[in-house]
Structure formats: structure tokens, C-alpha cells
Amino acid sequence: MTASRTVLSALADGVLTLTLNRPDKLNSFNEEMHLALREGVQRAHDDSDVRAVLLTGAGRGFCAGQDLGDRDPRKGGPAPDLGATLDSFYNPTLRLIRALEKPVVCAVNGVAAGAGANIAFACDIVLAAKSAKFIQAFAKIGLIPDAGGTWSLSRILGEPRAKALALTAEPLPAEKAADWGLIWKAVDDADLMDQAQALAVSLAAGPTLGLGLTKRLIQDAATRSLDQQLDAERDAQQQAGRSADYAEGVTAFLEKRPARFTGR
Ligand code: T3D
């Protein structure tokens, strides 16, 4: 395991586990943690040994969004340019997670507030401890839901629920988030990490190219017509059909044995 102070990073069984690590601040983001997380996700892009990512938090929380200690108006000075901080810190990481053509599993181990919740929603498969809750905390401090929150909430939940969550900042318990389709599963707290780890390991052992293409197609579908999507599926299937993993998958089926995918 290599460790930066604010994001722990460990690669095993093809899974790069990134653990937000400022537990005394409920893993809220300071600049160092922003940069460390981005570096971790960038590594997932660049390193072919990484075939899936598992994102989680240390301690009792997943992530409480921006570290508000770094935004203390009592310290004086001009109001911060939060558009610039989104451009510099949150948005590049969100884009990297969505663009990564490898599965990203998120294990929400405790409260996920503000940008912390919305980073979780940007991941591909989200498991949460039953005790966890998701809070669009922005309304409590006069901000708007960022880190893709207005996008993912309205797309996944529709306007009525998205607006209610965002305007009231009411905590959404993990089981209700799962019932609403905002996350994949709420699991017993004691089982969360084992289940998330097993899922990530099984995805990492999968046909990485095909999984990456699938992720991209599903993400892009919302902005395309059916005709456009059929063309995109044709192109992606052409690519997947030329992969070593496709040949291995079909051979394994015909030989009645488990496939041994290599990610190529
Ligand atoms: O600024 C920009 O760049 C723009 C981008 C903004 C993105 C955003 O995310 S804005 C939203 C920021 N986040 C929040 O507003 C959430 C603030 N936190 C809370 O509302 C609560 O802490 C929670 C509901 C998340 C959890 O409540 P609870 O009662 O379980 O824990 P707690 O006692 O409030 O927090 C525990 C400690 O973590 C505490 O420190 P202490 O008193 O033990 O020394 C608390 O101050 C600290 N903490 C929690 N959240 C933050 C934080 N410290 C700094 N920043 C935080 N966001």
C-alpha cells in the first residue's frame, strides 16, 4: 500500500482502492485531498494493472463535501470565487471518474454530504452501509448542489424528488436511496466492505474493454436518439468483438469452463 496523507491508495487483484482519509473532518475536501483523489483516479486511467476502482472513506463518514474551515468568512478577505474552485478541483475529478473506461465501485461507509454525496453518485455502482445517509447540504449554507448534483439527481430521480432533496437538505437514508434507484444497494454495515471489495474484484477480473465500452454507452445514451445509440452500439460491438476477452469468453463458454479475462 502506498499512502498519501489524505487519500490512501492500494492496488490488489486489479482493484485500486482509494480511501478518503481525513476522518476527523468526516473526509471533507481540502486542496490536498482534492489533488490526491484526482491523482488516484488518473492512475486508474494510466495504469493497465488497474481494472477497477473502489472508492470509500476512512472512519465513520464517507465525505462531508468541502472543508468549510477553508471557507471561513470570519478570516476576512474577499468572498471566494467558488466557480473557480469547482473548475480547479471538483469538476476535473468528476469528469475523470465518468470518463474512466473501467468500473468505479463506491462504498459509502457513512454520511455523504454536499459534494461528497454527489461524487458517490458519479461512480458506477454505489453500495452504502444501511446507517449511511446522503445529504444535499448546500441549501443550509446558501449554495447550489455541485459536483454534478443537479445533473445526477434530476436524471436519476426526476424533478420532484431532486428538488425536494436539494431545497430541504433533508437526509436521505441509504435504504431509501436504494429504493429510489439512486444507489445500487444498501447493505448491513458489517458487510459493506466485504461486499464492495468482492464486487470490485469480480469486475476487475472481467472483460475490461467491454465493461468500459458499456459504461460509456450507458452514460452517453441520455443525450442520443435511438438511431444514434444503435450506431454507437454497432461501433462499440465491433471493437469488443475484436478483443481477446471476447474470444476467451466464447471459448470458455464452449469448453464449459470459467473465462480467464485479461482485460485486452
Ligand atoms: O467551496 C467550494 O469550493 C464550493 C464547493 C462546495 C462543495 C460542498 O460540498 S458545499 C457543502 C459542504 N458540506 C456541508 O455543508 C456539510 C457540513 N457538515 C455537516 O453538515 C455535518 O457534519 C454532517 C451532517 C455531514 C455530519 O453531522 P454529524 O453530527 O454526524 O458530525 P459533526 O459533529 O457535524 O462533524 C464531525 C466533525 O467533522 C466536526 O469536527 P469536530 O467538532 O469534531 O472538531 C465537524 O466540524 C467536522 N466536519 C464535518 N463536516 C465538515 C467538517 N469540517 C469541515 N468541513 C466540513 N464540511
Short mmCIF file of all heavy atoms in Angstrom, two decimals, residues 248-258 260:
data_model
loop_
_atom_site.label_atom_id
_atom_site.label_comp_id
_atom_site.label_asym_id
_atom_site.label_seq_id
_atom_site.Cartn_x
_atom_site.Cartn_y
_atom_site.Cartn_z
N GLU A 248 -11.90 -15.23 -25.67
CA GLU A 248 -11.79 -16.08 -24.48
C GLU A 248 -13.17 -16.39 -23.89
O GLU A 248 -13.44 -17.53 -23.49
CB GLU A 248 -10.91 -15.38 -23.43
CG GLU A 248 -10.98 -15.91 -22.01
CD GLU A 248 -10.54 -17.37 -21.86
OE1 GLU A 248 -10.01 -17.95 -22.82
OE2 GLU A 248 -10.77 -17.93 -20.77
N GLY A 249 -14.06 -15.40 -23.85
CA GLY A 249 -15.39 -15.61 -23.28
C GLY A 249 -16.16 -16.67 -24.04
O GLY A 249 -16.79 -17.56 -23.44
N VAL A 250 -16.11 -16.59 -25.37
CA VAL A 250 -16.85 -17.56 -26.18
C VAL A 250 -16.20 -18.94 -26.07
O VAL A 250 -16.89 -19.96 -25.90
CB VAL A 250 -16.92 -17.10 -27.65
CG1 VAL A 250 -17.60 -18.16 -28.51
CG2 VAL A 250 -17.68 -15.78 -27.76
N THR A 251 -14.86 -18.97 -26.10
CA THR A 251 -14.15 -20.26 -25.98
C THR A 251 -14.48 -20.92 -24.65
O THR A 251 -14.78 -22.12 -24.57
CB THR A 251 -12.62 -20.03 -26.09
OG1 THR A 251 -12.36 -19.35 -27.30
CG2 THR A 251 -11.86 -21.36 -26.08
N ALA A 252 -14.45 -20.11 -23.57
CA ALA A 252 -14.72 -20.65 -22.23
C ALA A 252 -16.14 -21.21 -22.17
O ALA A 252 -16.37 -22.28 -21.59
CB ALA A 252 -14.53 -19.56 -21.18
N PHE A 253 -17.09 -20.49 -22.79
CA PHE A 253 -18.46 -21.00 -22.79
C PHE A 253 -18.53 -22.35 -23.49
O PHE A 253 -19.11 -23.31 -22.99
CB PHE A 253 -19.40 -19.99 -23.49
CG PHE A 253 -20.79 -20.54 -23.65
CD1 PHE A 253 -21.68 -20.54 -22.58
CD2 PHE A 253 -21.22 -21.08 -24.87
CE1 PHE A 253 -22.97 -21.07 -22.72
CE2 PHE A 253 -22.48 -21.61 -25.01
CZ PHE A 253 -23.36 -21.60 -23.93
N LEU A 254 -17.89 -22.43 -24.66
CA LEU A 254 -17.96 -23.67 -25.44
C LEU A 254 -17.22 -24.81 -24.75
O LEU A 254 -17.60 -25.98 -24.88
CB LEU A 254 -17.40 -23.43 -26.86
CG LEU A 254 -18.20 -22.41 -27.69
CD1 LEU A 254 -17.50 -22.12 -29.01
CD2 LEU A 254 -19.64 -22.91 -27.94
N GLU A 255 -16.20 -24.46 -24.00
CA GLU A 255 -15.43 -25.50 -23.28
C GLU A 255 -15.99 -25.75 -21.88
O GLU A 255 -15.41 -26.50 -21.10
CB GLU A 255 -13.95 -25.08 -23.20
CG GLU A 255 -13.29 -25.09 -24.58
CD GLU A 255 -11.81 -24.63 -24.55
OE1 GLU A 255 -11.33 -24.21 -23.47
OE2 GLU A 255 -11.17 -24.69 -25.61
N LYS A 256 -17.11 -25.08 -21.56
CA LYS A 256 -17.79 -25.26 -20.26
C LYS A 256 -16.83 -25.06 -19.10
O LYS A 256 -16.72 -25.88 -18.19
CB LYS A 256 -18.46 -26.64 -20.18
CG LYS A 256 -19.52 -26.86 -21.27
CD LYS A 256 -20.30 -28.13 -21.02
CE LYS A 256 -21.25 -28.46 -22.17
NZ LYS A 256 -22.21 -27.42 -22.50
N ARG A 257 -16.11 -23.94 -19.12
CA ARG A 257 -15.20 -23.59 -18.03
C ARG A 257 -15.29 -22.08 -17.78
O ARG A 257 -15.79 -21.33 -18.64
CB ARG A 257 -13.75 -23.97 -18.39
CG ARG A 257 -13.24 -23.24 -19.64
CD ARG A 257 -11.74 -23.38 -19.84
NE ARG A 257 -11.31 -22.77 -21.10
CZ ARG A 257 -11.11 -21.47 -21.29
NH1 ARG A 257 -11.29 -20.61 -20.30
NH2 ARG A 257 -10.73 -21.01 -22.47
N PRO A 258 -14.85 -21.62 -16.61
CA PRO A 258 -14.89 -20.17 -16.36
C PRO A 258 -13.91 -19.43 -17.29
O PRO A 258 -12.85 -19.97 -17.61
CB PRO A 258 -14.42 -20.03 -14.90
CG PRO A 258 -14.37 -21.41 -14.34
CD PRO A 258 -14.31 -22.38 -15.48
N ARG A 260 -11.14 -16.74 -18.44
CA ARG A 260 -9.99 -16.06 -17.82
C ARG A 260 -9.71 -14.80 -18.63
O ARG A 260 -8.96 -14.82 -19.61
CB ARG A 260 -8.77 -16.98 -17.83
CG ARG A 260 -8.91 -18.17 -16.87
CD ARG A 260 -7.66 -19.04 -16.89
NE ARG A 260 -7.45 -19.69 -18.19
CZ ARG A 260 -7.92 -20.91 -18.52
NH1 ARG A 260 -8.59 -21.62 -17.65
NH2 ARG A 260 -7.68 -21.41 -19.73
#
